[in-house]
Amino acid sequence: HTEPAAGGGAAGTAPPVGVGPYARSLRSLVRADFVRFCHTLLSDLTYLVAQVAERLRTVRAHDEAVADSPTYAALPAAERQEREAAARTHAAHLRRDAQLLHGTARTLHIACGLRSDDWFQAPELRTRIGPALNHALCILAGPRVHELRVADMAGRFHLRPGLVLADLLRTYARLSASQRFAEAVAGDGHSFDLSVLDRTVAICERRGSVAADDLAAVRQLRRSLADLVASGFGSR
């Protein structure tokens, strides 16, 4: 999943120029194959976000141990060597997972932009897309995101969480015109949190990483979600 990202655009519109042959290959998939492909994307997203988060926590713990110079220096040489070897292996795994996460997030919003209707003609996709996106946002922009902060993520691990958030927000935008999507998001009783969505929008707007049309689409979706919450949807 490493194809180039599509740019902005309202939900259901034609994808931007630049997706090229990859877009044609997605369009040419028969519906059953497209549904299977999308299931794989959602599974990959859920797995990779969790993996990256866990690895970042481990890196943070190691960095903090090394920063405590006297204590770390007092460890036996063999133990320090063992820890450093484990840290190098862990960093390599994190770089791999980060690359896969970036590619999966990009591919997801491209697939949603190309064939948004197909997401809601398959009941199994309708039930998965909202919780998968909510879960990813909660990990990358939720109240415990401080646990994932480590120095120079981009340089050391090729990980740019802000870009992943931008691609996830584009996915919300691509599907935002659908009431079924709003209900899938609001009906998620585990990770749905309007404040996390608001924080993600604020991050992307501050960084200029998401087009104005997409931000407007997400804000309209946000109003629909708030109306659903006010009506008691998801708590029945």
Side-chain angles (χ1 to χ4, degrees):
H1 308 313
T2 57
E3 280 68 20
T13 60
V17 175
V19 180
Y22 182 57
R24 289 193 292 273
S25 68
L26 279 178
R27 282 198 185 101
S28 68
L29 287 176
V30 298
R31 184 168 170 274
D33 289 343
F34 182 77
V35 168
R36 279 193 291 271
F37 175 74
C38 292
H39 271 301
T40 299
L41 281 180
L42 294 176
S43 296
D44 287 351
L45 177 67
T46 300
Y47 172 77
L48 288 166
V49 167
Q51 280 291 101
V52 165
E54 187 58 34
R55 294 191 191 285
L56 284 172
R57 291 187 184 97
T58 301
V59 168
R60 181 182 173 94
H62 176 73
D63 287 354
E64 289 175 346
V66 172
D68 185 2
S69 301
T71 302
Y72 195 75
L75 293 173
E79 183 176 347
R80 289 200 308 274
Q81 290 172 0
E82 182 178 345
R83 289 191 180 194
E84 292 299 328
R88 287 192 295 272
T89 299
H90 202 77
H93 290 161
L94 179 51
R95 282 191 291 272
R96 176 203 62 197
D97 290 344
Q99 180 183 16
L100 292 171
L101 176 58
H102 277 288
T104 298
R106 286 194 299 270
T107 304
L108 183 61
H109 88 74
I110 292 170
C112 288
L114 288 170
R115 298 176 60 166
S116 58
D117 289 346
D118 285 333
W119 283 86
F120 300 104
Q121 292 174 4
E124 61 271 32
L125 287 181
R126 289 203 304 269
T127 60
R128 292 191 66 194
I129 182 65
L133 291 172
N134 292 341
H135 173 72
L137 285 199
C138 275
I139 289 179
L140 297 176
R144 297 179 59 185
V145 69
H146 61 279
E147 298 175 3
L148 311 183
R149 290 177 184 147
V150 301
D152 192 19
M153 277 191 275
R156 295 166 70 189
F157 311 116
H158 313 308
L159 175 62
R160 294 170 174 81
L163 295 184
V164 177
L165 287 174
D167 280 326
L168 295 176
L169 206 62
R170 290 185 188 103
T171 303
Y172 281 92
R174 297 294 177 271
L175 302 175
S176 61
S178 169
Q179 180 65 18
R180 287 178 174 179
F181 177 62
E183 292 173 356
V185 172
D188 170 25
H190 296 286
S191 303
F192 173 58
D193 189 333
L194 282 175
S195 68
V196 174
L197 182 61
D198 291 341
R199 189 176 303 119
T200 304
V201 170
I203 290 170
C204 293
E205 185 172 35
R206 185 171 64 249
R207 297 184 177 189
S209 56
V210 174
D213 286 350
D214 284 340
L215 290 174
V218 174
R219 288 193 173 100
Q220 180 59 49
L221 171 65
R222 202 268 186 212
R223 289 190 284 272
S224 297
L225 294 172
D227 289 344
L228 286 169
V229 171
S231 73
F233 183 86
S235 60
R236 298 167 185 165

